[in-house]
Amino acid sequence: MLIGDHQQLRPATSVHRLAVQFGLDVSLFERLLTRGVSHVTLRTQRRMRPEISALLAHIYPALQDHESTLSRGGVRGVRKPVFFVQHALHEGKAGEARSRVNGHEASFLAALAAWLVACGHLAESITVLTPYCGQLLALRNAFAQRGPMLGGCVLRSVDQYQGEENELVLLSLVRSNAEGSIGFLGVDNRVCVALSRARLGLYVVGNGALLRSKRPLWASVLSTLEEGDSTGAFLPLDATRPGTGKLALVACADDFEGLEPPGVESP
C-alpha cells in the first residue's frame, strides 16, 4: 500500500543530471499513478478556508471543502483573508551560491508580520515561506531587526515546509527581473506546496505580471485572485490612515509607519 501526493514535491537528487536525463526524481508512487494503476484519491480537505483552497482547484480540480472550513473568521488587521501584493522591484543575488534575494519583499513581510502580531495574532501562528535560501537569510535579518516580538515566527524554505501548516502564511516569491526568469516558481509541485500551507490567511508578495507571462498555473491562480478582488499593488488593512480617515493601503514596509491596530486609540 502506497500513500502520498505526487503533485507536491518530487524526490531530490544529489546529481541533477540523473534527474534530467533519467528521471531519477520521479518516485515509484508517481510512476505507478501516471501509468494508470488503480488508485483512490481523497477529495475533501479540512485545512484551508475556501478562499485559499480555490487557488488549489487548478491543481486538484475535484477538491472539496469540508463544512468545518466554511465558517472560519477573518484575519484581524487585514481586510482580505487572501491577497497577492504585486510589485516589479528587481531581485538580487547573495552569497557564494548566488541565491536570489529581494530586499523589498523581505522588509515588507517583516512589517506585515509585526502588524499582525500588534493586531493580536500570536507570532507562533505566522509562517513565512520562500523558495530561495538567500531570501530566507534576508527574511531572518529583516525579522531580527524588528526585535523579540517576531521571535516566534516560523521562517522556512518552501521545500523544508512540505507536510506542515499554520494559521497564517506569508509567501515571498522573490523573482522579478528583466530577463523573464522565474526559476523554482516554474515548478508546479513547489507552487502547490507554497499555496497550500495556510489554514486561515495567505499573503503573497511577488511580480505577478512576470509569473503570469511564464506559467499557465500562475496565470490561472492570478485570475482566481482577480475574481475575488484579492490582488493588487496595495494590501488593504483593517485600519484607517491617521489624520485622514481613509482605508490604510500598504505596498512597502514604510507604509505601516504610524498605523494603529483596530480598536487602539491614540493617547
Side-chain angles (χ1 to χ4, degrees), residues 31-260:
R31 292 175 192 272
L32 291 173
L33 265 65
T34 55
R35 283 159 177 76
V37 170
S38 178
H39 63 280
V40 175
T41 300
L42 300 181
R43 302 183 185 278
T44 303
Q45 70 88 17
R46 292 171 169 79
R47 173 187 299 164
M48 301 164 277
R49 65 185 308 144
E51 295 94 331
I52 301 174
S53 66
L55 307 180
L56 279 299
H58 305 293
I59 300 172
Y60 306 104
L63 190 65
Q64 300 175 1
D65 299 315
H66 188 267
E67 61 181 13
S68 63
T69 68
L70 305 179
S71 57
R72 295 182 180 174
V75 178
R76 293 188 302 278
V78 187
R79 287 292 177 99
K80 295 276 188 176
V82 178
F83 204 88
F84 190 123
V85 185
Q86 301 200 42
H87 71 89
L89 298 174
H90 282 187
E91 68 198 52
K93 297 180 182 178
E96 295 181 2
R98 308 294 284 168
S99 184
R100 309 292 170 163
V101 297
N102 194 305
H104 163 72
E105 293 185 10
S107 60
F108 177 80
L109 290 185
L112 176 56
W115 171 258
L116 291 169
V117 170
C119 290
H121 297 279
L122 296 176
E124 292 79 6
S125 71
I126 302 171
T127 289
V128 187
L129 299 179
T130 182
Y132 291 92
C133 293
Q135 184 70 353
L136 183 59
L137 293 175
L139 285 163
R140 287 173 177 167
N141 290 335
F143 274 61
Q145 291 173 11
R146 293 276 169 176
M149 69 178 297
L150 299 183
C153 294
V154 181
L155 278 66
R156 295 285 188 274
S157 71
V158 172
D159 289 7
Q160 290 174 327
Y161 209 65
Q162 180 171 236
E164 299 190 55
E165 60 187 71
N166 209 343
E167 290 296 300
L168 305 173
V169 170
L170 315 183
L171 176 59
S172 171
L173 297 179
V174 181
R175 302 311 301 265
S176 180
N177 53 72
E179 297 75 29
S181 175
I182 63 172
F184 291 150
L185 303 182
V187 181
D188 290 355
N189 303 66
R190 280 195 173 93
V191 177
C192 178
V193 174
L195 297 180
S196 61
R197 303 298 98 198
R199 292 193 289 263
L200 184 64
L202 173 65
Y203 301 99
V204 185
V205 58
N207 188 327
L210 172 62
L211 296 174
R212 184 193 293 273
S213 69
K214 293 297 178 179
R215 197 69 183 171
L217 176 58
W218 279 115
S220 298
V221 167
L222 284 161
S223 293
T224 298
L225 290 165
E226 288 169 351
E227 291 170 3
D229 195 23
S230 296
T231 183
F234 296 89
L235 174 66
L237 302 182
D238 187 15
T240 55
R241 185 69 59 184
T244 68
K246 296 181 179 180
L247 178 68
L249 303 173
V250 294
C252 66
D254 291 345
D255 290 342
F256 288 87
E257 295 297 325
L259 296 181
E260 297 174 344

